[in-house]
Amino acid sequence: MLDFTSNLALAILACILGSSFQFGYNTGVVNAPAKVIKSFYNETCQNRTGASMPDSTLTVLWAVTVSIFAVGGMLGGVTAGYWANRFGRRGALLRNNLLTTVGALVMFSSKYAKSYEMLILGRFIIGLSAGIGTGVAPLYLLEIAPVSLRGMCGTFNQLAVCFGVLTSQVLGLDAVLGSPNLWQFDVGFSVIPVVFQLCTLSFCPESPRYLLITKDLEDEADKALQWLRKTVDVSDEIEEMISEKEAQSRIKKFTVGDLLNSSSLRTPLTISIVMQLSQQFSGINAVIYYSTSIFESAGLSGILAKDATVITGGVNVLMTFVSALIMDRAGRRSLHLIGLGGMFISGYILVIGLIFQNNISWLKYICIIAVIVYVIFFAAGPGSIPWFFVAELFAQGPRSAAVSIAVLVNWFANFIVGLVFPILQNTIGQYSFIPFVAMLAMFWLYTLLKVPETKGMTIEEITASFKNTSATYQPISADKSDG
Ligand SMILES: *[C@@H]1O[C@H](CO)[C@@H](O)[C@H](O)[C@H]1NC(C)=O
Ligand SMILES: *[C@@H]1O[C@H](CO)[C@@H](O)[C@H](O)[C@H]1NC(C)=O
């Protein structure tokens, strides 16, 4: 804990509240006030055309509003690496606030301009900024933290995302900002973390690793590191960066094309992609985007449905914390299996509850419990493990190309879920969760049969195992340190 200086804490907080929090907030913000905003769409249509908006049109327009965030995220995510190298980590994060502000203001103004098109445009812009922010923030965090605190920074990052989701659910309550008169402040709230980040990150230095390794500015890297560590003697870390830089120049850089063409990397790439799909097609974002309406279809009143949504958000924060504590002790593969298995069972119970809730009134409470348990199991494993896996299945050379593909797949699947789920809800009603339950079963089987355990192995051992044989996997005794 000696390395944890107040300056480092400030830099971490500035980074995660300004970026990871924003991503979580804007993921969750469309959940609770959905009804209120949808009636704004309907009213706008009535005022323009004289006729109310057909139910099917409203469903599709709302699905687009929710999911276009992920289209922006995809574009932002694939370009994040470029911005991070061009402007620096801190530089890219600070500039990204401009995009966030524009997105938030466009959404905020949509009500006054009586235009739902603006809300959709704003969701796209804020998605772009979320894609960039979630791409750059982990780089900054990893690069400013001393080795001993890297795991903790990853946890803070994940917690900030869940905390953002929870904040959006609380602000979306009727009594806060989720009412017909105030929803524009709810969707425009993002300017507040923007102001916070501008006021704090501006005083923090650029990532020393970026300064030294990418920009070759040793003196500046030295200064940045002295500020972060609050000590003048940082020569050890500088030395280490210099040797990392030399090592990097010897490594062959993989482009995404190289990676796709490499047959020896096909197995780890397939596993990484399926793991990302398992995270999104587990249906978690159907819950994060639409839980209020799921609870309403389980027979809860609007107000209770929002309260239940806040509870799921709180449980998510708590469980993310717990899972960070157990992550390194339990194996990744076991946790992923437990997570997907628990989600399958609770998802199955939710489906049964939704189907029969008309006949048995207490089933709605079973539905709430099922959703909470589902979120617990998500946070236990599938929430973070797919990201560990991409980083661990690839050596330094192809890793960043692999991460780019994973980011793209993740956002794309997120988009599909956001777009399709409300349409399913509108057409097959209480059966709409069945596709997720079926996919959870498939992903569970895939993990059981194809995914190796990486706990206790170094990255070299993991990558070597894919080169030898692709069919069988030799587990190596788990007493070595994580690579
Ligand atoms: C629709 O028109 C009425 C009456 O002019 C106005 O009060 C209301 O704000 C309008 N609503 C929207 C969403 O445009
Ligand atoms: C739109 O508003 C009208 C009148 O307020 C209402 O009858 C209709 O059901 C609404 N349409 C939808 C799709 O909610």
Side-chain angles (χ1 to χ4, degrees), residues 143-144 206-213 221-222 224-225 228 241:
E143 294 181 349
I144 60 172
E206 182 51 85
S207 142
R209 229 154 250 273
Y210 167 79
L211 290 170
L212 198 147
I213 296 177
D222 205 74
L225 209 51
L228 287 165
M241 282 183 216

Side-chain angles (χ1 to χ4, degrees), residues 19-33 62 65-70 73 107 123 126-127 130-131 134 160-169 186-187 190 280 284-291 309 316 378 410-411 414-415 417-418:
S19 305
S20 323
F21 175 90
Q22 293 280 31
F23 162 64
Y25 185 87
N26 286 296
T27 301
V29 70
V30 286
N31 188 331
W62 185 245
T65 311
V66 171
S67 62
I68 202 167
F69 175 72
M107 290 195 287
R123 283 283 294 169
I126 210 119
T134 50
V161 173
C162 301
F163 185 61
V165 173
L166 177 62
T167 307
S168 72
Q169 290 164 340
D186 198 31
V187 292
S190 287
Q280 290 298 326
I284 186 64
N285 274 326
V287 170
I288 304 286
Y289 290 141
Y290 302 113
S291 66
T309 290
N316 195 11
F378 174 78
N410 191 282
W411 278 111
N414 182 336
F415 165 68
V417 171

Side-chain angles (χ1 to χ4, degrees), residues 42-43 46 52-55 58:
N42 189 4
E43 206 182 306
Q46 271 168 346
S52 74
M53 195 179 266
D55 200 30
L58 186 55

Side-chain angles (χ1 to χ4, degrees), residues 217-469:
L217 299 168
E218 197 178 326
D219 286 347
E220 309 223 349
D222 205 74
K223 254 184 258 156
L225 209 51
Q226 288 185 16
W227 187 89
L228 287 165
R229 303 286 177 268
K230 282 189 142 182
T231 162
V232 285
D233 181 24
V234 290
S235 50
D236 283 0
E237 272 191 83
I238 295 282
E239 291 292 300
E240 184 206 315
M241 282 183 216
I242 292 174
S243 54
E244 185 183 326
K245 182 180 176 179
E246 281 159 7
Q248 267 195 12
S249 61
R250 275 181 265 120
I251 291 169
K252 176 176 165 275
K253 270 269 173 271
F254 268 65
T255 63
V256 168
D258 296 337
L259 178 57
L260 292 175
N261 285 327
S262 153
S263 58
S264 69
L265 293 177
R266 199 148 294 151
T267 311
L269 185 63
T270 310
I271 293 177
S272 305
I273 289 176
V274 178
M275 294 288 272
Q276 296 295 332
L277 293 178
S278 75
Q279 181 188 76
Q280 290 298 326
F281 289 147
S282 68
I284 186 64
N285 274 326
V287 170
I288 304 286
Y289 290 141
Y290 302 113
S291 66
T292 305
S293 95
I294 296 176
F295 288 135
E296 278 174 3
S297 63
L300 257 66
S301 74
I303 291 179
L304 270 183
K306 286 186 179 186
D307 290 346
T309 290
V310 172
I311 295 174
T312 61
V315 166
N316 195 11
V317 172
L318 268 179
M319 262 320 284
T320 301
F321 193 71
V322 173
S323 88
L325 298 178
I326 53 178
M327 189 67 68
D328 283 323
R329 256 162 271 166
R332 318 257 195 259
R333 174 177 177 271
S334 336
L335 272 185
H336 200 63
L337 279 174
I338 294 170
L340 292 179
M343 290 175 90
F344 169 79
I345 294 169
S346 47
Y348 188 79
I349 293 173
L350 175 67
V351 169
I352 304 287
L354 288 174
I355 293 175
F356 293 106
Q357 56 89 12
N358 283 332
N359 312 331
I360 311 165
S361 67
W362 50 263
L363 270 181
K364 58 177 174 259
Y365 301 107
I366 300 290
C367 290
I368 300 180
I369 294 170
V371 172
I372 291 173
V373 172
Y374 171 92
V375 168
I376 288 178
F377 278 101
F378 174 78
S384 48
I385 287 174
W387 297 114
F388 276 102
F389 254 93
V390 230
E392 288 183 344
L393 293 186
F394 294 91
Q396 188 75 23
R399 188 177 302 138
S400 71
V403 171
S404 305
I405 294 176
V407 167
L408 192 70
V409 169
N410 191 282
W411 278 111
F412 182 71
N414 182 336
F415 165 68
I416 298 292
V417 171
L419 184 68
V420 173
F421 185 70
I423 298 170
L424 285 181
Q425 262 190 320
N426 210 31
T427 46
I428 56 176
Q430 63 267 58
Y431 302 98
S432 51
F433 223 76
I434 289 179
F436 298 130
V437 174
M439 280 190 282
L440 279 165
M442 278 164 31
F443 288 124
W444 189 87
L445 272 178
Y446 181 90
T447 309
L448 185 73
L449 299 175
K450 298 280 185 192
V451 175
E453 181 58 271
T454 56
K455 181 190 166 215
M457 293 171 71
T458 65
I459 307 257
E460 288 71 34
E461 288 167 344
I462 296 169
T463 50
S465 69
F466 286 115
K467 285 185 189 127
N468 300 337
T469 62

Side-chain angles (χ1 to χ4, degrees), residues 32-37 168-184 186 306:
K35 237 186 187 165
V36 170
I37 305 181
S168 72
Q169 290 164 340
V170 172
L171 294 189
L173 293 172
D174 292 18
V176 192
L177 297 176
S179 64
N181 294 326
L182 295 175
W183 64 263
Q184 70 276 27
D186 198 31
K306 286 186 179 186

